[in-house]
Amino acid sequence: LDMGFLQESCDETVGHEFWEAGVYLSPNVLTARQYARPHVVFSDGLYHRVMLEVSYDRACLKRKRKKGGDQLVLPSSAVCITGVFFQLNAPPCLGEERLDDWDPELEIVPVGRHTPEATYLLRDAPRWGDDCVVIFNTDNAKGAAGDKA
């Protein structure tokens, strides 16, 4: 997100899983949700998922298939992030891959940036129906909370 583009899956030696090099998208929200790994982010036992909303250039479509849900493969240059969706308290289904904690050392860090520090929840876990506040801190942020960066 910080760099403004999505990295293509293209290198199995670094752990990418793909059948065609490119950025993988799905117009089917259920398929996208399956690929959004449930993740305990705040050491509170609650799993969250994140999905990106994108626009893409249909003329640049490399591949399309129905197997595994609707999947589209495009070059990074043909995809633009238009939104971020957070699914709070979205636990894994039986047999689904998951991440039980967050390790900042596993983050992909853009050149010239530093590894983010872990964030911990300082209050009780939210209950169903509670309001949620998402705080996004960047390395360029200045001043106290509420100040303009």
Side-chain angles (χ1 to χ4, degrees), residues 5-114:
F5 68 94
L6 296 173
Q7 178 68 41
E8 296 181 21
S9 295
C10 61
D11 187 350
E12 291 177 338
T13 65
V14 296
H16 297 178
E17 296 178 9
F18 62 96
W19 45 268
E20 169 87 22
V23 173
Y24 282 69
L25 311 176
S26 179
N28 182 333
V29 72
L30 294 177
T31 299
R33 186 181 192 279
Q34 288 177 327
Y35 284 97
R37 298 283 188 267
H39 198 150
V40 175
V41 182
F42 302 111
S43 300
D44 58 2
L46 293 178
Y47 288 90
H48 307 294
R49 299 173 192 247
V50 175
M51 294 186 295
L52 300 177
E53 177 183 68
V54 299
S55 294
Y56 64 93
D57 183 346
R58 293 173 195 252
C60 296
L61 185 64
K62 294 169 79 174
R63 296 270 307 263
K64 180 178 182 177
R65 77 175 185 178
K66 294 280 186 188
K67 183 179 179 184
D70 290 333
Q71 295 182 9
L72 310 174
V73 183
L74 293 110
S76 181
S77 60
V79 181
C80 176
I81 299 169
T82 58
V84 180
F85 295 98
F86 296 88
Q87 288 191 323
L88 308 177
N89 197 13
C93 299
L94 184 62
E96 188 175 25
E97 291 182 22
R98 69 199 70 193
L99 299 165
D100 293 321
D101 59 8
W102 180 65
D103 182 352
E105 295 300 320
L106 296 177
E107 289 295 313
I108 297 173
V109 181
V111 175
R113 301 295 184 132
H114 61 81

Side-chain angles (χ1 to χ4, degrees), residues 126-142:
R127 292 181 176 80
W128 182 257
D130 282 357
D131 289 337
C132 175
V133 176
V134 176
I135 301 172
F136 179 74
N137 293 314
T138 67
D139 293 338
N140 295 326
K142 294 183 178 27

